[in-house]
Amino acid sequence: MGAEEHRQRVRSIIEDPALTYRQRVYALAGAAEDALDPPAVSAACALALDKGLICDLAEGHAPYRPRYTLPDYARALARGSTFLELPPPTTFDEATTFLLAAYANVPSITGYPVWFGDLDRLLEPFAADLDDDELRTRLRRFWVLLDRLFPDAFAHANLGPADGRVVRAALGVHRDVHQVVPNLTLRVDPDVTPDDLLLEAARTIVTVAQPHLVNHPMMVADLGERYGVVSCYNALPVGGGSHTLVRLNLLEAARRHSGSAERFLDTTLPGAIALTAELMEARIRHVVEQARFFESSWLVDEGLLSLDRFTAMFGIVGLAECVEHLLLLDGREGRYGRDRAADDLAHDIVERAAAIVHALPMPHCEATGGHALLHSQAGLDSDAGFTAGTRVRVGDEPDLYRHLAAVAPNHAHLPSGVSDIVRLDETVVDNPEAVVDVARGALALGMRDVTFEVANGEFVRVTGYLVRRSEIEKVAAADAVRHSSSVLGAGSFANAGLDRRTAQRVRSHERTVGT
C-alpha cells in the first residue's frame, strides 16, 4: 500500500458517519497495522493469497495477538488477579464484576472478548445464597452489561451440559432481553442433559435463534473436557486458543485443476493445502516469535493462558461449488445435498483435507499434537459466488432429513467447528418439542454442531453469530449501529442471500418414504 492510498484509507475511516467512535478507533488501528509489510512467504504463497485461493481473513499485516483467546476464568475467580487488583470474589455480584473487568482486558481479533466462559459453571457456586428471583434479577443485570459493554455478536458464552439453576435462569433471561450478545452455546450430552432442559433451550431458540447446540461427547473425544466454543462455532482449548485462522477456497482450487476428481484429491488439493499451511506458519511465528505476545501478557503471567494450550485453525470454504465443478470435469452433473454422488465426493474431499492437515507439522500448536485443526469456515461479508464452509448452497437445501444426512458425515473431520444452519418454518414457535426431537436426531447422526433459526424471525444467523433484521436495515441506510458485527452481517445478508435459506417444515407422518 502506497503512502497516498494509506492516507485515503485513514481519511475514509475518520469521515465515515456509519461508524461509531469505537468502531473508528478499531478501524484506524487496523489501518496502522496494515501499513507494515505482512509476514514473508514464498512467491507462490503470495500469489495464492492475491488471487483468492487462500485468505488471511483480514487478520492484519502484523499479527500481535492470537486471533482467539479462551482465558481460564475459573482459575481467575479462584485465585483473584494481581493485574486487575481484585481478590477472589465471594458473592454473586463480586463474581460478575470480576468477570466484566477481566473481559475488558482480553485481546482478540475483534477487539472484544470472543469468549465469556462457561457461565453456568462459573456462577453456580455464587448462586447458592440467592433465591430464584434474586438470581434472575442479578443475572439479567449482568446480561445487559455484556451486551452494552461488548457489543459484538462474536462474543460467546457457554452453558451445560449438566442441569443447574444458573443455566435455566440464563436461558430464561436470554429469551426476555432479546440480545445478540452473549451469543449462547449449549453443550448437549445425551447421558447428562435432561430433556426438559433441552426443551427450555428450544423455547429460547424459537424466540431468539439461540443457543447453538454442541455435541459434547464428540467435542470431548477430540479436544478433551477443557474446551470452549467461541466466535463462529470455533471449538478451542480453554486456557489457550487459536493463533490464526486462514482459509482455503476449494472452488478456486477446483478451477485450477484439470483431470479427474480422484486426481484433484491426490495432487491439486495437497498443493493448495501446502500453500495455506505456509501462510499459517508465517503468521503464527509472527505472533509468537516476533510480536512475542506470550512474553508480555498479564493473562500468561497469571496462568490464564498458556502457549502449550494453543493451536491454529485451517479453514475451508466453497465445498458445494467445488464438488459441482469437479463432477463437470468428470462429465457428470450433481449438486451437494441433492445427489448421492455429489455427497460422496464432498465427504471424500473433507476427509482427505483433514488427513493432509493432520499430517502437516505446525509450530507452536502443542495443544493439538503439533498440527492445526480443520475448520468449516463460515464466510466473510464480502464473499460472493461460493458457499460458506461445508454447507449446502443457500436456497438449495433439501428437505430436513436429507439435509442433515448429507452434511453429518463431514462433522467428524472438523474438530474445531462446523456451521450448518437449519431454518425452520414459523410453525415451530408453537412446537418447541420438535426442536428437541430434531436436535437429538442430528446429534445421533454424528453432527458436531446444530444451529436453528426461525423463518421471518427478528434474529438471523449469519455464520456463528446473529444479527437483528432491524440493524441490517439501519446499516443499509448508512446509519451507525452499536454492534460492529451487524455491519459484517449486513454484507453477508446481501452477498450470500441468507434470506433465501429454505424454511424446513418439521414433519412426522408426512415424511416422504425413502428420503
Side-chain angles (χ1 to χ4, degrees):
M1 179 185 296
E4 181 55 32
E5 184 181 358
H6 178 66
R7 280 194 290 271
Q8 289 179 3
R9 179 179 174 185
V10 170
R11 177 62 64 186
S12 68
I13 295 168
I14 290 173
E15 297 179 355
D16 189 345
L19 297 177
T20 65
Y21 162 73
R22 180 158 183 169
Q23 290 163 1
R24 293 185 200 196
V25 170
Y26 185 72
L28 289 170
E33 181 182 348
D34 288 347
L36 301 177
D37 293 329
V41 294
S42 68
C45 182
L47 181 63
L49 183 61
D50 182 61
K51 298 299 183 182
L53 174 63
I54 61 179
C55 175
D56 65 7
L57 298 173
E59 284 185 351
H61 284 188
Y64 52 93
R65 71 296 195 215
R67 184 179 180 96
Y68 304 121
T69 60
L70 291 79
D72 187 344
Y73 294 119
R75 180 187 177 98
L77 289 174
R79 301 191 177 196
S81 170
T82 302
F83 179 80
L84 298 175
E85 300 183 63
L86 290 172
T90 59
T91 68
F92 192 90
D93 288 347
E94 287 181 2
T96 53
T97 299
F98 187 109
L99 289 172
L100 290 171
Y103 300 152
N105 290 278
V106 171
S108 82
I109 186 64
T110 66
Y112 294 103
V114 294
W115 195 58
F116 293 135
D118 303 313
L119 284 182
D120 55 336
R121 300 182 196 176
L122 293 172
L123 296 177
E124 192 75 38
F126 302 98
D129 295 334
L130 304 177
D131 63 31
D132 288 347
D133 288 341
E134 291 172 326
L135 172 59
R136 194 177 174 99
T137 297
R138 284 169 167 74
L139 199 61
R140 182 187 178 102
R141 188 182 305 142
F142 178 56
W143 234 243
V144 170
L145 285 173
L146 290 177
D147 180 78
R148 305 307 189 268
L149 293 174
F150 311 104
D152 189 276
F154 295 107
H156 270 245
N158 294 177
L159 303 171
D163 204 349
R165 293 178 65 221
V166 173
V167 61
R168 287 181 180 263
L171 291 170
V173 166
H174 207 66
R175 280 199 300 273
D176 292 344
V177 295
H178 278 239
Q179 296 174 178
V180 296
V181 182
N183 195 344
L184 283 185
T185 292
L186 176 68
R187 297 178 172 93
V188 180
D189 184 333
D191 295 328
V192 176
T193 311
D195 277 345
D196 61 343
L197 177 60
L198 196 50
L199 179 58
E200 189 71 6
R203 294 189 178 104
T204 307
I205 288 170
V206 300
T207 306
V208 292
Q210 301 178 65
H212 159 64
L213 305 177
V214 164
N215 189 330
H216 182 63
M218 197 171 180
M219 287 295 190
V220 171
D222 286 332
L223 298 178
E225 288 281 352
R226 296 180 66 215
Y227 76 92
V229 179
V230 310
S231 193
C232 289
Y233 312 112
N234 305 338
L236 294 165
V238 172
S242 180
H243 298 294
T244 185
L245 168 55
V246 172
R247 77 178 189 190
L248 167 63
N249 186 327
L250 293 170
L251 172 60
E252 287 299 320
R255 285 172 172 166
R256 288 160 171 75
H257 174 72
S258 61
S260 67
E262 191 62 33
R263 183 174 172 78
F264 175 83
L265 295 174
D266 291 337
T267 59
T268 303
L269 182 63
I273 287 176
L275 293 172
T276 315
E278 180 186 341
L279 180 60
M280 294 177 72
E281 178 173 349
R283 300 188 66 79
I284 292 169
R285 291 196 182 282
H286 192 281
V287 172
V288 179
E289 300 171 10
Q290 189 164 349
R292 300 191 296 179
F293 169 83
F294 293 90
E295 298 176 29
S296 59
S297 169
W298 73 278
L299 295 160
V300 177
D301 292 342
E302 299 195 3
L304 310 184
L305 291 179
S306 174
L307 179 57
D308 62 6
R309 294 287 296 167
F310 272 80
T311 185
M313 299 170 66
F314 188 112
I316 51 175
V317 293
L319 177 66
E321 291 77 12
C322 171
V323 166
E324 292 178 15
H325 189 88
L326 292 176
L327 287 176
L328 286 175
L329 289 179
D330 278 350
R332 299 178 287 166
E333 292 186 358
R335 289 180 295 164
Y336 173 44
R338 295 281 182 177
D339 300 288
R340 182 72 61 174
D343 292 355
D344 290 344
L345 178 55
H347 303 157
D348 288 345
I349 292 170
V350 174
E351 183 177 8
R352 186 69 63 88
I356 298 169
V357 170
H358 186 81
L360 285 174
M362 195 61 67
H364 305 298
C365 289
E366 284 74 15
T368 51
H371 57 79
L373 300 176
L374 191 66
H375 177 70
S376 178
Q377 201 275 321
L380 289 173
D381 60 314
S382 57
D383 287 344
F386 58 89
T387 300
T390 54
R391 296 177 190 167
V392 174
R393 180 189 285 117
V394 169
D396 202 26
E397 298 93 343
D399 72 71
L400 178 61
Y401 309 101
R402 179 78 175 79
H403 187 182
L404 299 181
V407 299
N410 290 329
H411 287 219
H413 307 295
L414 298 158
S416 60
V418 53
S419 58
D420 290 305
I421 297 172
V422 176
R423 172 172 287 185
L424 301 174
D425 77 358
E426 299 97 322
T427 60
V428 79
V429 173
D430 296 322
N431 186 20
E433 292 83 357
V435 175
V436 176
D437 292 341
V438 174
R440 292 285 194 202
L443 298 180
L445 272 177
M447 290 187 70
R448 182 182 300 274
D449 300 87
V450 187
T451 304
F452 301 101
E453 65 175 7
V454 178
N456 302 315
E458 166 66 357
F459 293 82
V460 179
R461 278 278 175 186
V462 178
T463 57
Y465 68 101
L466 302 94
V467 295
R468 289 186 294 201
R469 288 180 186 272
S470 56
E471 292 215 341
I472 291 175
E473 293 169 0
K474 289 181 180 177
V475 173
D479 292 337
V481 294
R482 186 164 51 83
H483 296 92
S484 53
S485 49
S486 294
V487 179
L488 301 176
S492 293
F493 192 80
N495 293 328
L498 299 184
D499 228 16
R500 296 199 306 271
R501 283 181 182 139
T502 304
Q504 306 281 3
R505 184 179 180 191
V506 180
R507 298 176 292 180
S508 54
H509 63 284
E510 300 170 48
R511 180 181 174 187
T512 304
V513 174
T515 58

